[in-house]
Amino acid sequence: MGLIRNLSIKFKLLFLLVGLSVFVLMIYASLALKTFESDKVAYVFDSTLSHSKSTASQIRSEFKFAVEKVQFYLRGFDGRNFQLHPYNKINIRSDRGLAWLATYHPQESGPYTKRSEISGNIAAAVLNEIQGHTQEMVDETLQQKLSVRALTTSGVGWLLGFRFSVGSGKDNAVALAYFREGSFIEPFRAPKNQDTYLVSKTGRILVR
């Protein structure tokens, strides 16, 4: 303390200015760090939101196209014999995108059962994996009107399920279709810093 008292006013002012400068720099560094963190969070949020909107638009577009394609093949469906129109059977077998289509109908008692099925040239492993998803997808489609699954072990295709009308009924049957390709799946499967999932409204992971 005595040494400080003996210092001239010039040095005292110099120490005071140095201390004040350090204090101001510390406050500035703290504020700059907080601003950087908030800007980084905002940037990540905006980029994620933009990516989510883009993916959602792509999914909506592909789903609409897929549903309309299957609805086209279901035109002229024979509700008595549970058969597709002969012309549509030929077209499905030569379709490059749609490789399998089955319809499920209610029984007088019990769950929906498969009454018609047609497939193109697909591997047995793919068909086995499809069969493993069918009952669950039928139940989900009856609850949510639309269901989707991505094949994970046997291929890169995906399954789509939705309701359709047979005869005088309304949405009284379920159609399940397998598509060989789905470009909307790639954003979920490509490696990235964050895991991305497509989930149902119940929180079930459909595509990862």
Side-chain angles (χ1 to χ4, degrees), residues 23-145:
F23 179 72
V24 170
L25 286 174
M26 291 177 62
I27 294 178
Y28 174 79
S30 176
L31 292 176
L33 182 60
K34 290 181 179 179
T35 302
F36 172 77
E37 290 178 351
S38 61
D39 287 347
K40 185 177 180 180
V41 171
Y43 170 77
V44 172
F45 176 80
D46 289 341
S47 61
T48 303
L49 181 62
S50 177
H51 175 73
S52 299
K53 288 182 177 180
S54 175
T55 303
S57 178
Q58 183 181 4
I59 292 173
R60 190 180 299 109
S61 176
E62 287 203 43
F63 278 13
K64 182 180 179 181
F65 175 79
V67 169
E68 289 177 350
K69 173 179 278 194
V70 177
Q71 287 176 336
F72 173 80
Y73 284 128
L74 290 173
R75 290 179 182 176
F77 184 83
D78 185 353
R80 292 184 178 180
N81 299 314
F82 302 103
Q83 294 290 325
L84 295 174
H85 192 279
Y87 177 75
N88 290 335
K89 287 183 179 180
I90 297 173
N91 287 337
I92 288 179
R93 289 192 174 97
S94 60
D95 195 303
R96 294 183 178 180
L98 179 64
W100 176 85
L101 175 62
T103 63
Y104 295 76
H105 305 265
Q107 302 181 92
E108 293 183 0
S109 61
Y112 276 50
T113 58
K114 181 170 61 179
R115 303 300 297 271
S116 69
E117 180 181 16
I118 186 169
S119 62
N121 184 21
I122 57 176
V126 175
L127 193 58
N128 288 336
E129 186 174 1
I130 290 173
Q131 301 298 340
H133 290 292
T134 52
Q135 190 57 55
E136 185 179 29
M137 288 189 65
V138 169
D139 295 339
E140 189 173 275
T141 303
L142 292 173
Q143 296 176 359
Q144 303 179 176
K145 295 187 178 181

